[in-house]
Every structure is written in structure tokens, then in C-alpha cells.
Amino acid sequence: MDFSWKPVIDAGAISIALVVATFLRARLQFFQKYLIPNALTAGFLLLPVYNYLFPFLGYDQNKLGELVYHLLNISFISMSLRASSPKIKGHKGGGVLGMSTGILLGYATQALLGLALTLFFLPKMFPAFGLFLPLGFALGPGQAFAIGKGWETMGFSGASSIGLTFAAIGYLWASFGGVYLINHGLKKGWLKSELLSSMQNRTMLTGIVAREEEKPVGARLTTDNEAIDSFSFHSAAVLLTYFLSFLLLSAITMGLSLLGKAGRDLAVNLWGINFIFSSITAIIMRKIIEAIRVDHLLDNETLSRISGFSVDFMVAGSIAAISLVFVTTFWFPILLMSTLCGIMTTIIVPWFCSRMFRDYQFERMLMIYGVSTGTLSTGLALLRVIDPEFKTKVASDYMLSAGLTFLLAIPFILAINLPAQAAVQGTMVPFWIMMGIAFLYLVYVLVTYGILAGRKTLAQPASWWFTE
């Protein structure tokens, strides 16, 4: 019978690459030294396979990006369905607000840098090109692909592949730049050497739990397996929410279609940022679940496992989905922009964090640096180097700040299509509006930073790291 095996082939290829990458991390010191995520290694292993081997065999890679798109939305839903972190005693001193401010610092500075550099390549370059810096570095591969896919309908050929390329480069900065900051900080006395004891932890370095070690518990059962497997129930809850988000966006699309061509164009753009609507739907679902008092059926750890699965397969698949044909066409601006962005982020994150926070400055800096160049997983990986058991408030502060960051970032993400509209409308007005919005975000960040840093706001301005 004529069944489609494409989803199975894609899932199988990614799975093989993830398994191989896991063994490479366990055996080779290079991957351990720089804490290279297995999903990143898997993606680069698949890159030549999907660009050269599969096309030679007559296999099309175009649909791989659709897998990335759906996994992105599922990851946002599974995290948004989690119960809010309880308020922890001792969370004072602006830690939560500071973490949110640090993340938004990456959005604002990377957007301004990218848009400014784009001006040098106009009119040969698509006006929105530079926004792949915050999309790829601070937001991640899923968002870069989804929004890039929308830009392709607006005349930017290969935008999704270029967005994924920036995200892959961001991951490299997270790994190599993060390890450099740790070693440099140790050399300069920014952190104490005893904090690096976890670098001798074989489990963290190799990425696998040894045979003789006790296996940590990653999920709890909330249903009786005779009735329904607990993981099946949680997966159903996530996919049900995803279906509801699809219905929500479909209804919005129908309403916008009544407004004519402008409404239909806006609807197309909204599908590119479906992860926002998925998150909003999940937040509403969580409130309903709590209101009818069945929230005990959802286990945070199980939802985290679903999110982790989605992110690992999404990252590997996103890199494999890169079309090297488009990347080689724009190799110079990609290399220039990503290099300058990586250097800028590596400089400003330590500068701001060492002055903005009152406690755990280095730990908070590593977390923010990892998230500003990769994703939550890379931020946590860097934090684990000096806080392997998350005994500090940094990880919990970040989780508490996630909701605030999400709300504050919505206007930024909704406006991110404005430079693309400049190409469609033939006027640079939307481009300058986006630059103005990015500048306003920077103003907000600087004001908040000044409030949190106090007397340290401009202290030792020429010093990369503030020391008392």
C-alpha cells in the first residue's frame, strides 16, 4: 500500500544522529570541554546528509522545516502548561527583574545592531535580514525558522535557512564563548576555583549517567497505568492545547480575511509567530485546569520531558534543514553580522550583569549569556558548570522571570515583520519604526538597569567586570 514514510524517515534520521552525538559526547573530550549540546552535534552531522546525500537519492528535505515549526510550538505549550514556580524566600534584590532585563538587553542590542548593519547592504539585501540576529541568537532556531518562513512569502527567498544558520552560529557562541568566559573569569578572579568542581563530574561532562550511579527521577505518575499511561495523558493534554491554538488562530485568520488583502497578509504573518498563540492558549488552559481543581493531574517534570524532547529534536532538525545553497549566497553578511553580534554579546552581558545584580553575579551572567546566544537549555548547561545542583537562586529566578519576559517581548515579536513590510510596500518607514521600537526596548532596559544597579550604574566603566 502507498503509505508515506517521510515522517518516519525524518524522525529516524534525527534519532540516529542524536544517538551518535550522545556517544561522541561521552567519548571525546572536545565535546565535553566545550559542553557542546548533543542536539547541536546531531544537527551538524545531518547537515551534509540532507543537503547532498538525500537529494542524490531523490529525497526532498523541504518538509523537515515543518517538523521544526510544530516542535517549537509544542515546546512552548508544554512549558506554559507547567505550574508556576512557587515564590521562594530570599528572592529579593531585583534578581527576577534583573534576569528579565538581561534577556531583553539581548533582544534590543542585537536588533539594533542587525538593523544598523543591514543599512550598509541595502538595496541588495532584504530589509529584515538583520533581525535574524535576535531571532537566531536570543530567540532560537524555531522562531528564526517560523518567522523566516513567513518572510519567504514576502519575497525573501531562503529566509528560513538563513535564520536557522544564525541560530546554529549562536549555539556555537554559547558553547565556545561560555566556556571562554568561565576560564577567563577563573583567571581574573571573577569566581572561585572551588566552584568549578563540577567540571570533574563525569555525568555532566559525558552527558550520560554511569552504570553505578543512582538514576535521577525525571517524571512522576499522575494516572494509573491500567487506565492510561501518565506520559500518554500528558502528551494528550499538550496536543489538545495545540489543537485549540490552531482553532484560535484559524478563527483569527477568518476574521482578518474579512478586511481584504491587508488582513490576509497579516494573518499569514501571525501563523509565523504561532508559538505566541500556542503559549497564550496554554496559559489559559492552565488557568481553567486550576479553576476546576484538576491541576494535580499535570506533573511539571513530565511536561519538562516533553519540552526537552521537542527542543532536542527541533534543534537537530533545524540545523539539518539549513539549505547551504542560500547560505553560501549570503556568506559574507552572515559571517560579519554573527561575528559582531557574538563579540558584542560577550562584552556587554558580563559588563551589565556584574553591576546589575547584588548576588551570584557570575552565575547569573552565565545563564543570561547562554540564553542570549542559544536557548534555555544552553543557559542551564553553562550554569551547571558552577552550580551543578542549582543550589543558587539563579535558575529559579530565571523561571520566575520567564512570564514577565514573555509579556514584555510580545510587542517586539509582533513588530518583527515591519522591516519585511518595507520590502513589500516599497517604503522604509516600517523599517525605521522597528528601529524605534528596538530603541525603546533599549531605553527600558537601561532605565531598569539603572534602578537595579544604583551607585554601580556607571562604576568602573572601562572595566569588563565590576569588582568591589
Side-chain angles (χ1 to χ4, degrees):
M1 298 182 69
D2 188 20
F3 293 108
S4 174
W5 282 84
K6 190 175 190 335
V8 178
I9 294 173
D10 287 334
I14 295 175
S15 300
I16 292 172
L18 285 171
V19 171
V20 171
T22 299
F23 280 102
L24 288 176
R25 169 74 177 261
R27 297 293 182 182
L28 300 182
Q29 290 188 355
F30 172 81
F31 295 95
Q32 298 172 15
K33 178 180 179 182
Y34 292 101
L35 305 175
I36 307 295
N38 294 354
L40 183 65
T41 304
F44 281 111
L45 290 174
L46 290 173
L47 187 60
V49 173
Y50 272 89
N51 273 272
Y52 302 112
L53 178 59
F54 278 178
F56 177 77
L57 298 175
Y59 185 78
D60 184 14
Q61 78 175 91
N62 291 336
K63 298 296 182 180
L64 187 60
E66 295 183 2
L67 176 66
V68 173
Y69 174 81
H70 292 301
L71 288 175
L72 166 70
N73 299 328
I74 289 173
S75 69
F76 269 79
I77 288 173
S78 55
M79 291 304 292
S80 298
L81 280 176
R82 286 167 46 98
S84 301
S85 302
K87 293 185 178 180
I88 303 173
K89 293 182 179 179
H91 281 266
K92 297 179 180 179
V96 174
L97 180 59
M99 297 297 286
S100 175
T101 303
I103 301 304
L104 292 176
L105 172 68
Y107 290 13
T109 55
Q110 291 172 8
L112 288 171
L113 175 65
L115 290 172
L117 291 174
T118 300
L119 292 173
F120 290 98
F121 294 94
L122 294 176
K124 295 182 179 180
M125 179 179 286
F126 195 76
F129 193 101
L131 285 181
F132 276 130
L133 287 183
L135 283 171
F137 276 63
L139 284 164
Q143 294 91 318
F145 173 83
I147 293 177
K149 202 67 178 177
W151 290 348
E152 289 180 359
T153 64
M154 304 168 77
F156 188 1
S157 299
S160 57
S161 287
I162 295 172
L164 294 175
T165 303
F166 275 102
I169 296 174
Y171 270 107
L172 294 177
W173 273 99
S175 298
F176 292 98
V179 172
Y180 168 78
L181 286 173
I182 292 171
N183 291 326
H184 187 79
L186 180 63
K187 179 180 178 181
K188 296 293 184 179
W190 299 352
L191 74 161
K192 298 177 181 179
S193 58
E194 54 264 28
L195 292 177
L196 293 181
S197 59
S198 61
M199 287 301 286
Q200 307 302 319
N201 186 319
R202 292 292 299 170
T203 297
M204 193 195 77
L205 292 176
T206 62
I208 58 176
V209 180
R211 183 190 300 272
E212 64 277 5
E213 291 188 33
E214 182 180 353
K215 308 299 186 292
V217 176
R220 294 177 175 83
L221 301 181
T222 62
T223 61
D224 189 281
N225 286 346
E226 186 277 330
I228 183 172
D229 184 86
S230 183
F231 189 82
S232 300
F233 176 78
H234 284 78
S235 300
V238 170
L239 294 176
L240 168 63
T241 305
Y242 193 21
F243 179 66
L244 292 177
S245 73
F246 165 77
L247 294 180
L248 171 63
L249 200 47
S250 295
I252 294 174
T253 299
M254 292 178 60
L256 290 174
S257 298
L258 300 176
L259 302 178
K261 185 179 183 301
R264 290 191 294 270
D265 290 342
L266 176 59
V268 171
N269 295 333
L270 292 182
W271 284 99
I273 53 175
N274 188 18
F275 58 91
I276 289 184
F277 295 93
S278 296
S279 297
I280 293 173
T281 305
I283 292 172
I284 295 173
M285 279 289 290
R286 181 71 204 189
K287 296 298 182 183
I288 294 174
I289 290 171
E290 291 175 350
I292 62 178
R293 300 182 62 80
V294 293
D295 51 297
H296 63 285
L297 295 177
L298 293 182
D299 173 54
N300 277 6
E301 284 70 25
T302 304
L303 291 169
S304 294
R305 300 289 74 75
I306 296 175
S307 176
F309 161 82
S310 302
V311 170
D312 284 338
F313 272 74
M314 178 187 71
V315 171
S318 65
I319 297 174
I322 295 173
S323 174
L324 295 178
V325 173
F326 293 108
V327 173
T328 53
T329 302
F330 294 98
W331 71 269
F332 178 70
I334 290 175
L335 180 62
L336 174 66
M337 291 184 178
S338 60
T339 300
L340 292 178
C341 182
I343 294 173
M344 177 191 70
T345 304
T346 305
I347 292 174
I348 66 173
V349 169
W351 196 97
F352 274 84
C353 290
S354 63
R355 294 161 176 80
M356 180 166 57
F357 296 110
R358 302 178 188 177
D359 58 1
Y360 307 114
Q361 288 93 337
F362 199 84
E363 290 89 342
R364 295 183 190 277
M365 182 275 293
L366 278 183
M367 182 74 189
I368 291 175
Y369 180 81
V371 175
S372 297
T373 50
T375 58
L376 173 60
S377 59
T378 51
L380 290 174
L382 290 176
L383 177 61
R384 282 190 62 200
V385 176
I386 56 178
D387 184 17
E389 298 179 9
F390 300 136
K391 292 182 178 180
T392 68
K393 302 183 294 182
V394 176
S396 56
D397 273 350
Y398 178 84
M399 297 306 176
L400 288 170
S401 72
L404 174 62
T405 304
F406 174 75
L407 291 175
L408 292 174
I410 287 178
F412 180 88
I413 298 173
L414 289 176
I416 212 159
N417 282 319
L418 286 174
Q421 289 293 334
V424 175
Q425 299 174 12
T427 173
M428 288 293 289
V429 173
F431 178 94
W432 294 115
I433 293 176
M434 183 62 209
M435 283 204 77
I437 292 173
F439 179 76
L440 289 177
Y441 268 87
L442 181 60
V443 170
Y444 164 79
V445 166
L446 293 177
V447 170
T448 309
Y449 160 76
I451 295 173
L452 294 174
R455 63 179 180 81
K456 297 186 293 183
T457 300
L458 297 176
Q460 304 174 14
S463 177
W464 190 13
W465 186 265
F466 174 82
T467 54
E468 294 286 356

